[in-house]
Amino acid sequence: MEYKKLVGLYNSIEATSKRLEKTYLVAEFLKKTDIDDIPKIMLLLQGRVFPPFDERTLGVATRMVIKALNKSLGIDADAIEREWKRTGDLGITAENLAEKKKQMALFTTKVMVSKVFTNLRKLAEMEGSGTVDRKVSLISELLTSASPDEARYIIRTVLEDLRVGIGEGVLRDAIVWAFFEDSIHINYDTESKSIKPENRELYNAYVEAVQEAFDILNDFAEIAMLAKTSGLKGLKAVGVVVGKPLKVMLYKKVKDIEEAFESVGKPAAFEYKYDGFRIQVHKKDGKITVFTRRLEEVTAQFPEVVEYIKKNVKASSFILDAECVGYDVKSKKYLPFQSISQRIKRKHDIQEMSDKFPVEVNVFDILNYEGKSVIKSPFRERRALIEKIVSPLPYSIIPAKQIVTSDLDEAKRFYDAALKAGEEGVMAKNLDGIYKPGSRVGYGVKVKPVMESLDLVIVAAEWGEGKRSGWLTSFSLACYDPDTGSFMEIGKVGTGVKEKVELGVSFEQLTELLKPVIIKEKGRDVTVKPMVVVEVNFEEIQKSPTYSSGYALRFPRVIRIREDRSPDECSDLALVQDLYSTQRSR
Ligand code: AMP
């Protein structure tokens, strides 16, 4: 397929804010796409060439793009820099410059989707000497034959900053519309941009089937292929496979223990809510792999966890869901998440880190046992399995501390004990609940005393002035809108604060993290790729026309950087709305 066609789709998606119209555009496009191109299109629509759990990145810095533009268009670097300063966007810069060149030359070779895809994938594989030059060549090869608007999207994709406004919801529904239209007759009305499925229940069942398969596989490219080649049966057959990380189940917050019982029923399991970071541990054929909740592999960073699993879990194949908590080597007191968070990204001095900041593994769920998926088994059975296979060894590995009770006072006492032990609170779980990857369905809830914080992503910042001119000092925070895949601003932190933004997070730290992901600069304002997630406390949520989310935070404070969360896992608009309305009713 010609890349031009995909660019046409990008343009029309960008031109509408209507979710159903976007879905329709993508679905119609997929219907006409050759089977070989379907996975590539699904990925490129998300601005990527690898599925989200794949750690490979393209590693293209803005200066490489400038070199590539220089090489392909024969325009000198200063002129490119000037145009970039003027537009503030390298994609648009590429488009404008290519437009100028267009008047001089005619494009003879067509850019094909497969070529873009292959060259981009090659970018991720390059390492060693001469990498920059080879990367520049791969990009300029594409640009040489690209039309102006193709150039814009190539550059945005290369910089991993596509921003056309497609979220998971649109892709999921588009798969249903494209491949199951014959069974469900969606009846999209192009005038009113609405749908009237013949059978709403059936339609919802298909949407759910795609969603469920996605929550396990995490890859729309694979799901689209499954839907096309094996239909509903294929989607339903998607199982939990050891070695392949799946999305974790999430938990809603409730006000207190009474509400916890209301939500999960009686009797309920109560567990300590450990304040650490979540891991998914896979074991198969003697090999142990540890993933974060972002599904990134961190096996090498946690050698002691691998040891504990090897020695203290008696089964040959499984997937465990667990929380790693740091503790002080001397006092054996549990430490808050921040103390061990540095271990997640660490690539060197691993043994030293493990000796200094050891973790205890608290196993609270099991998703696969001896090759069989157990996510549909009731929680009581999954817990029994954990108790059967985990030999507890405090400060190494233990099943999460748990009681099962119908008694309010007993549950409250357990909650108090958890807080006393320095934990965040408790989880309450429905004993018959299944494990629903990726969803906050209410089979489990959390109770903690502090007001819910939000995990927000930094989308923009400002350079400081005077003494602080080398640092970014003000940060714009945004929540996630899963429908459009975009980030909606909800507030700013930092302005006027002296040294620290807040507790443990300094300007320096944030500047270091954000500098490499700056994508636009105009005066003191910079736009950054939405990558850095921070946990934010606040006094209150207010309605506000100032920010795109329609809400603003009163007195936001950044309390920590969440290395373990990806931007699309940060708090979504629905959660903000939810918090806004519950704070009102109090
Ligand atoms: P929150 O991060 O506040 O949404 O709370 C949910 C998180 O608590 C989960 O993602 C886990 O990382 C963590 N957690 C700690 N202890 C448990 C437990 N016993 N069961 C489930 N999750 C737990």
Side-chain angles (χ1 to χ4, degrees), residues 251 271-274 278 293 323 364 400 427 429 440 446 448 565:
Y251 308 87
E271 293 176 358
Y272 276 13
K273 181 179 190 312
Y274 300 94
R278 192 164 185 172
R293 53 173 288 155
E323 187 87 353
F364 59 79
M427 312 295 297
K429 297 179 181 178
R440 260 177 223 280
K446 57 194 176 198
K448 50 184 184 178
R565 304 234 159 152

Side-chain angles (χ1 to χ4, degrees), residues 458 461-464 468-475 501 505-518 528 532 561:
I458 299 178
E462 246 174 67
W463 291 110
R468 285 187 259 140
S469 62
W471 306 110
L472 294 167
T473 54
S474 169
F475 307 90
V501 172
V505 183
S506 62
F507 293 145
E508 290 90 333
Q509 226 179 326
L510 284 174
T511 305
E512 232 161 72
L513 283 172
L514 293 170
K515 240 181 169 171
V517 292
I518 291 178
V528 293
V532 177
I561 298 169

Side-chain angles (χ1 to χ4, degrees), residues 37 182 212 220 230 277 305-306 310 347-348 350 387 407 411 413-414 450 508 535 541 544 574:
D37 282 329
D182 292 349
E212 280 193 0
F220 278 121
S230 340
F277 77 95
V305 171
V306 174
K310 217 182 255 170
K347 296 267 144 70
H348 51 92
I350 292 206
E387 286 173 9
D407 183 71
R413 279 197 301 277
F414 186 73
V450 291
E508 290 90 333
E535 186 175 345
I541 300 177
S544 158

Side-chain angles (χ1 to χ4, degrees), residues 204-361:
N204 290 344
Y206 274 85
V207 169
E208 199 177 311
V210 175
Q211 181 69 47
E212 280 193 0
F214 177 66
D215 288 336
I216 294 174
L217 293 175
N218 259 293
D219 181 0
F220 278 121
E222 205 176 333
I223 306 283
M225 286 302 275
L226 260 178
K228 174 146 178 105
T229 56
S230 340
L232 191 62
K233 241 186 171 171
L235 292 173
K236 293 245 179 208
V238 167
V240 176
V241 179
V242 185
K244 222 170 162 186
L246 64 152
K247 281 197 196 168
V248 297
M249 181 158 82
L250 304 167
Y251 308 87
K252 280 196 253 187
K253 184 174 186 234
V254 294
K255 199 164 79 237
D256 48 29
I257 301 291
E258 280 91 341
E259 211 178 299
F261 272 124
E262 271 166 40
S263 177
V264 303
K266 281 182 183 177
F270 285 85
E271 293 176 358
Y272 276 13
K273 181 179 190 312
Y274 300 94
D275 181 17
F277 77 95
R278 192 164 185 172
I279 53 168
Q280 201 175 86
V281 186
H282 293 234
K283 181 177 174 191
K284 192 184 174 182
D285 301 330
K287 187 171 165 241
I288 291 160
T289 324
V290 183
F291 297 97
T292 65
R293 53 173 288 155
R294 298 175 62 162
L295 315 182
E296 287 168 339
E297 199 193 320
V298 288
T299 317
Q301 284 91 312
F302 293 93
E304 80 270 35
V305 171
V306 174
E307 273 313 295
Y308 304 153
I309 299 286
K310 217 182 255 170
K311 289 199 185 124
N312 292 53
V313 186
K314 283 183 224 67
S316 54
S317 164
F318 50 79
I319 303 176
L320 300 177
D321 197 354
E323 187 87 353
C324 281
V325 209
Y327 61 88
D328 186 84
V329 188
K330 279 201 196 116
S331 69
K332 293 278 163 81
K333 269 206 150 128
Y334 290 114
L335 300 169
F337 166 77
Q338 198 61 30
S339 61
I340 46 161
S341 67
Q342 44 179 323
R343 290 192 57 186
I344 300 172
K345 295 244 162 86
R346 196 75 173 210
K347 296 267 144 70
H348 51 92
D349 301 330
I350 292 206
Q351 195 51 49
E352 190 191 329
M353 291 302 281
S354 154
D355 295 341
K356 242 168 127 181
F357 304 103
V359 295
E360 177 185 70
V361 182

Side-chain angles (χ1 to χ4, degrees), residues 485-548:
S486 53
F487 294 94
M488 315 292 268
E489 288 194 27
I490 187 167
K492 263 190 186 175
V493 277
T495 341
V497 186
K498 294 221 173 58
E499 288 303 313
K500 301 250 167 146
V501 172
E502 178 60 44
L503 229 83
V505 183
S506 62
F507 293 145
E508 290 90 333
Q509 226 179 326
L510 284 174
T511 305
E512 232 161 72
L513 283 172
L514 293 170
K515 240 181 169 171
V517 292
I518 291 178
I519 38 180
K520 252 192 221 175
E521 262 193 274
K522 227 173 190 178
R524 284 173 51 214
D525 295 328
V526 303
T527 309
V528 293
K529 233 188 258 182
M531 286 183 78
V532 177
V533 178
V534 288
E535 186 175 345
V536 179
N537 271 349
F538 49 89
E539 295 279 306
E540 201 192 347
I541 300 177
Q542 300 171 320
K543 284 227 164 171
S544 158
T546 316
Y547 298 111
S548 52

